[in-house]
Amino acid sequence: MKNVTISVIQFSKYHQIEPQFVIDLYKNDLVVLHERNQEYFIEENDLKLIERFIEFHYNLGVNLEGLEVIHHLLKQIETLQKQLK
């Protein structure tokens, strides 16, 4: 099964954000991007996570450092929930 990807530029236009925001998420190891022909692409399974970061950043004013903390805490919660099951 082939991974479905979307270009960062298309994604950014759809969400009316700067492509640099998604690239900054990548540079801070918050998301995985793939580079092809000098263009970045997002895997389909990462779209929800990036949309969550957009919500936190643009609507709630959380900076990149804050997004890193939130991401770390959410991963810890997910791990604990799995342990409880």
Side-chain angles (χ1 to χ4, degrees):
M1 185 173 170
K2 187 175 180 180
N3 288 341
V4 177
T5 60
I6 182 171
S7 85
V8 168
I9 293 171
Q10 288 176 327
F11 180 84
S12 299
K13 283 181 183 177
Y14 177 80
H15 287 284
Q16 299 177 347
I17 63 168
E18 291 295 320
Q20 188 61 46
F21 174 71
V22 179
I23 294 168
D24 288 344
L25 293 174
Y26 168 68
K27 288 180 179 178
N28 284 284
D29 295 322
L30 294 171
V31 297
V32 176
L33 297 180
H34 302 283
E35 189 174 0
R36 286 194 310 259
N37 302 325
Q38 298 178 345
E39 187 175 356
Y40 287 106
F41 290 86
I42 305 165
E43 284 190 14
E44 183 179 33
N45 57 351
D46 287 335
L47 293 176
K48 291 282 186 205
L49 178 61
I50 296 173
E51 288 170 343
R52 181 181 279 180
F53 287 141
I54 290 169
E55 181 74 24
F56 288 142
H57 181 71
Y58 286 96
N59 295 340
L60 301 176
V62 178
N63 63 16
L64 277 173
E65 292 80 10
L67 293 176
E68 288 179 41
V69 171
I70 290 169
H71 183 63
H72 177 71
L73 291 173
L74 289 173
K75 286 175 94 174
Q76 282 185 326
I77 290 170
E78 185 179 307
T79 300
L80 291 171
Q81 287 175 334
K82 286 179 183 178
Q83 290 175 353
L84 290 173
K85 289 184 180 181

